[in-house]
Amino acid sequence: MSHKAAIIDRIQSIQLEEAPLPVIPRFKYPEGETISTFVAMAEKAGARVLCTENEAHTYAVINGKVTGQKHYYSAFHDSKPLQDATTEELAELTVAIYKAPLGVAENGAVWIGEDALPQRVGIAIVEQLVIVVKVDNIVYNMHEAYQTIEPQALGYGVFVSGPSKTADIEQSLVVGAHGACGLTVIVEK
C-alpha cells in the first residue's frame, strides 16, 4: 500500500460526531434604506445606476442603450440568441442586457443565475453590461440573498458588482481587464 493510500484510509476511518449547522442570526439593518444603500454601493463599485418608474420607462432606457449598436444581446429585444452564437459573433458583442432576479444592497451586487445566462461568457466579454433589477427584488445583505437564490439548485450563477477592474502590484487600476468595461444597473419600480 502506498503512503498516499495509507493516509487516505486513516482519514476515512475516523468517525466524527455529526454536528448541526450553526444558526445564522437575523442581522438588523436600517429600515427604509435598502434602495439608497444599493444605489450608493453600486456606484461606489463603479456602476452607473438608473432608476426607472415602470416597465415602459425601463424599455425606453434599454432602447437607448442598443440604438445604433450592431452587435448586442438583450433579454428584452429580439436579438440573436446567444446560445446559437458563433465564436466570431461572440467576439463582436458590444452590449448585453440581462434581467437579474436579485440585488444586494450591502455590496451593490446583482445576482444572475444560469437560467438568465444563455451563454456564460456573454456577461464577461461585452464592452457594456446592462442589468435590470426590480426594486422589490433588492435585499439588504448576503444572508438574505442566499436564502433567496438557493445556489445549490443551480449549476452556475454570479454576483456582479461594478465593471471589471484589477490593479497590479504598482496599484495601476485597469477597468475592463477581465470583463465588461462598464456596468449600468437599472432599478425598476
Side-chain angles (χ1 to χ4, degrees), residues 160-181:
V160 179
S161 181
S164 166
K165 51 197 162 299
T166 189
D168 63 11
I169 57 174
E170 295 176 2
Q171 299 303 299
S172 297
L173 182 64
V174 177
V175 176
H178 306 291
C181 292

Side-chain angles (χ1 to χ4, degrees), residues 65-99:
K65 282 285 185 191
V66 298
T67 300
Q69 297 289 332
K70 184 176 179 186
H71 303 284
Y72 70 90
Y73 165 76
S74 173
F76 295 84
H77 290 82
D78 292 329
S79 58
K80 181 174 180 160
L82 282 185
Q83 63 267 26
D84 298 332
T86 65
T87 304
E88 292 78 20
E89 289 169 329
L90 287 171
E92 294 177 346
L93 198 60
T94 56
V95 177
I97 304 167
Y98 296 96
K99 295 177 185 178

Side-chain angles (χ1 to χ4, degrees), residues 1 11 29 63 68 73-74 91 105 118 131 135 139 154 158 163 174 178-179:
M1 177 181 285
I11 291 171
Y29 54 86
N63 277 339
Y73 165 76
S74 173
I131 301 176
V135 73
V139 297
L154 299 171
V158 62
V174 177
H178 306 291

Side-chain angles (χ1 to χ4, degrees), residues 148-159:
T148 304
I149 62 173
E150 298 182 39
Q152 65 278 7
L154 299 171
Y156 179 78
V158 62
F159 281 101

